[in-house]
Amino acid sequence: MTTLDDLPIRDDLRGLSPYGAPQLDVPVRLNTNENSHPVPEPVVDAIGKALAAELRDLNRYPDRDAVALRADLAGYLGHGLTADQVWAANGSNEIQQQLLQAFGGPGRTALGFTPAYSMHPLLALGTGTRWVPARRGVDFGLTADEAVAQVREHAPDVVFLCSPNNPTGTALDPAVVAAVLAVAPGMVVVDEAYAEFARPGTASALAVLPGHPRLVVTRTMSKAFGFAGGRLGYLAADPAVVAAVQLVRLPYHLSALTQAAARAALAHRDALLGTVAAIMGQRDRIVARLRERGFRVADSDSNFVLFEVGGDQAVAWRTLLDAGVLVRDVGLPGWLRVTAGTPAETDAFLAAVEKLRREREE
């Protein structure tokens, strides 16, 4: 049987494993930060009608530039944005890959402040961009001074900032974004995949887009919209940035069905985003309960919670799995991440944590 070692694969890909969280058949799956609430029936019907309207013309290519969808996304984001300042692709991963294809690549460097989204270094690898793992400070925080010092040291062509950050869950102080923009020699990408879950008063980098042509804000419909299966990510930036990523995008990269489904979802945003407050309530419940039980927990502006287990996180992960609850081991020694789901899923998780706590105390 042929293996990867038998093929002339790139040397820097040898020994690696594909990105992905475990997909296990367990009663409670809280490991991939999906929206646990199903799509409401009126929205299902609307998406179904939108898809049906496209079926007869599937012999034709879709709108290559997804202009109508981009206009709808701009309307959703607000901040005076227009279609020429928005670009869409198959998830925010493809958006960020396109940014690295355009602004990174061989001989160039991308930097991110770890622990952060684990796909960023993989996207850098896939585009031939050198990856620099800059570090966060105490309690996974990041101050403007810490960020500026590391950006100045490495002078990267692309800086990734996550707000809220994955896997820690906390949003950035706007001063960090401003400070990095002031010293970064290249592009600054603020990944706001979880922005809709941020606590009241949390600022978005969208507010500082005017006057900053090297700033890019990336978003997704996978989380708050419950559209993970639809695969739709997007960015907001200066029109010149949108023009740049169009140089590297594949032709017809967004199918007519994806565009139609996403537009229908955006048209019913109130119904889809109606679950956000409930998810935030479960997130805050998890944070409060874990702290009451003596666990160290990172502040969260997202739909997940990072918590310290007080020992080997792989052992703790298995304990929770044996109790029927799948959470995420993000490779951070002593810490696990759990998605905030439905009230029943939170009940199951907290019950499993009680089992973990008892075992830890024995």
Side-chain angles (χ1 to χ4, degrees):
M1 178 179 177
T2 302
T3 68
L4 285 179
D5 290 336
D6 300 315
L7 299 176
I9 192 172
R10 284 165 36 188
D11 289 340
D12 57 353
L13 296 179
R14 292 188 183 278
L16 299 181
S17 299
Y19 171 87
Q23 293 180 309
L24 305 177
D25 186 14
V26 295
V28 180
R29 291 187 299 175
L30 299 173
N31 68 324
T32 53
N33 296 342
E34 297 163 322
N35 188 321
S36 293
H37 298 265
V39 177
E41 281 303 318
V43 185
V44 171
D45 292 341
I47 292 176
K49 290 177 182 177
L51 294 177
E54 297 292 330
L55 296 179
R56 189 172 300 278
D57 293 325
L58 285 184
N59 58 309
R60 302 294 185 184
Y61 285 115
D63 176 3
R64 183 176 53 232
D65 297 328
V67 175
L69 172 59
R70 289 161 57 199
D72 289 351
L73 288 166
Y76 165 66
L77 289 176
H79 293 275
L81 292 168
T82 57
D84 65 348
Q85 295 172 278
V86 175
W87 181 248
N90 287 283
S92 57
N93 290 329
E94 185 178 43
I95 287 289
Q96 291 161 6
Q97 176 178 270
Q98 291 173 344
L99 288 168
L100 286 172
Q101 287 175 311
F103 300 106
R108 295 193 171 195
T109 300
L111 176 149
F113 297 92
T114 59
Y117 185 33
S118 58
M119 268 302 296
H120 289 159
L122 294 178
L123 293 171
L125 175 66
T127 57
T129 308
R130 186 172 73 90
W131 176 255
V132 175
R135 303 302 303 177
R136 290 176 172 269
V138 177
D139 293 331
F140 310 119
L142 182 64
T143 68
D145 288 344
E146 290 167 339
V148 164
Q150 295 180 85
V151 169
R152 281 179 169 159
E153 177 184 355
H154 298 286
D157 299 279
V158 180
V159 176
F160 282 101
L161 297 170
C162 298
S163 185
N165 185 52
N166 178 12
T168 61
T170 45
L172 283 176
D173 184 332
V176 176
V177 178
V180 170
L181 274 172
V183 299
M187 304 300 294
V188 177
V189 180
V190 182
D191 184 340
E192 292 190 346
Y194 302 93
E196 287 90 349
F197 299 103
R199 289 170 292 181
T202 302
S204 167
L206 292 170
V208 295
L209 274 175
H212 291 99
R214 291 182 291 104
L215 173 63
V216 184
V217 181
T218 65
R219 293 280 189 100
T220 181
M221 291 182 68
S222 294
K223 313 302 182 183
F225 277 86
F227 199 70
R231 307 307 302 132
L232 200 290
Y234 54 104
L235 65 75
D238 188 272
V241 175
V242 175
V245 296
Q246 286 179 295
L247 296 175
V248 298
R249 62 101 174 96
L250 293 173
Y252 312 110
H253 68 294
L254 276 179
S255 75
L257 299 181
T258 297
Q259 294 182 45
R263 293 194 69 201
L266 284 164
H268 292 79
R269 69 190 66 163
D270 290 345
L272 288 171
L273 296 177
T275 62
V276 168
I279 292 169
M280 291 171 65
Q282 294 306 308
R283 172 200 69 198
D284 294 343
R285 178 186 169 202
I286 291 170
V287 170
R289 187 65 62 86
L290 289 178
R291 286 175 174 167
E292 288 172 1
R293 295 295 185 269
F295 290 89
R296 187 175 166 210
V297 183
D299 290 335
S300 180
D301 290 289
S302 54
N303 71 334
F304 58 84
V305 175
L306 185 74
F307 62 104
E308 191 174 31
V309 296
D312 187 335
Q313 84 279 0
V315 173
W317 180 86
R318 172 56 64 178
T319 299
L320 297 177
L321 183 63
D322 290 343
V325 179
L326 178 61
V327 300
R328 186 70 173 267
D329 181 352
V330 295
L332 197 58
W335 295 77
L336 292 173
R337 192 193 72 194
V338 60
T339 303
T342 64
E345 289 172 332
T346 300
D347 289 343
F349 166 71
L350 292 174
V353 166
E354 279 299 303
K355 176 184 176 184
L356 174 65
R357 188 174 69 89
R358 288 194 299 269
E359 291 187 4
R360 187 178 65 175
E361 293 176 350
E362 289 176 356

